[in-house]
Amino acid sequence: MIKKLHTIAGALALMTIAIFWLSTSLAELFGSRTTVTMVKTAIPWGFLLLIPALAAAGGTGFFLAKGRRIGLIGAKLKRMPFIAGNGILILIPAALFLAFKAKAAEFDTIFYGVQTLELLSGAANIILLGLSMRDGLKLSRYGTRRRQMVKNEA
């Protein structure tokens, strides 16, 4: 059950961040200022889904690691402080700031500077979460093969 929760929470977190990133990019490239405002003011509401998903993925990941800190598990654990720090120190404050600026229709140099930082930081988190998902899938396949080998030997 914990493995399923970890998988679902991790996928949900990655998907949510990707949706934020794509929505922002598409709104800026092809949308009006009204569309940008709608996207930027909706993103903070998405934190109600994203933050619990990230917390669940992180918590279940630490539980599943069972104290191991090497190999793929070690790589996943080393990424987590960067993902969390990036989110807490850059992405959340930037999203709140951009929502405030967009709602006030202040699309100035500061808005676009912060938005550029947000998009770069978001892309970094998408990459890091994607790498963690890849490693989790490798671990899952390895565990399945190993259990099957043990079962076949018995």
Side-chain angles (χ1 to χ4, degrees), residues 61-80:
F62 280 113
F63 180 81
L64 291 168
K66 297 177 183 158
R68 293 175 283 175
R69 302 265 186 244
I70 59 170
L72 293 175
I73 292 171
K76 287 173 63 91
L77 290 173
K78 285 179 186 173
R79 285 185 202 110
M80 289 312 297

Side-chain angles (χ1 to χ4, degrees), residues 27-144:
E28 282 296 344
L29 290 172
F30 304 112
S32 64
R33 284 198 171 175
T34 303
T35 303
V36 172
T37 300
M38 286 175 24
V39 168
K40 299 316 291 177
T41 56
I43 287 174
W45 288 102
F47 294 160
L48 296 173
L49 177 66
L50 177 61
I51 292 170
L54 285 169
T60 56
F62 280 113
F63 180 81
L64 291 168
K66 297 177 183 158
R68 293 175 283 175
R69 302 265 186 244
I70 59 170
L72 293 175
I73 292 171
K76 287 173 63 91
L77 290 173
K78 285 179 186 173
R79 285 185 202 110
M80 289 312 297
F82 295 105
I83 293 167
N86 193 13
I88 293 167
L89 299 174
I90 298 172
L91 292 171
I92 290 174
L96 295 172
F97 175 80
L98 292 169
F100 173 79
K101 293 282 275 182
K103 194 168 187 170
E106 295 179 14
F107 298 100
D108 54 12
T109 305
I110 294 171
F111 176 89
Y112 287 108
V114 171
Q115 184 155 277
T116 300
L117 175 64
E118 180 191 47
L119 287 169
L120 292 172
S121 297
N125 266 14
I126 290 167
I127 291 167
L128 292 171
L129 286 166
L131 290 171
S132 287
M133 181 175 272
R134 178 204 63 193
D135 291 347
L137 290 169
K138 284 181 184 177
L139 285 166
S140 177
R141 280 190 227 122
Y142 172 74
T144 301

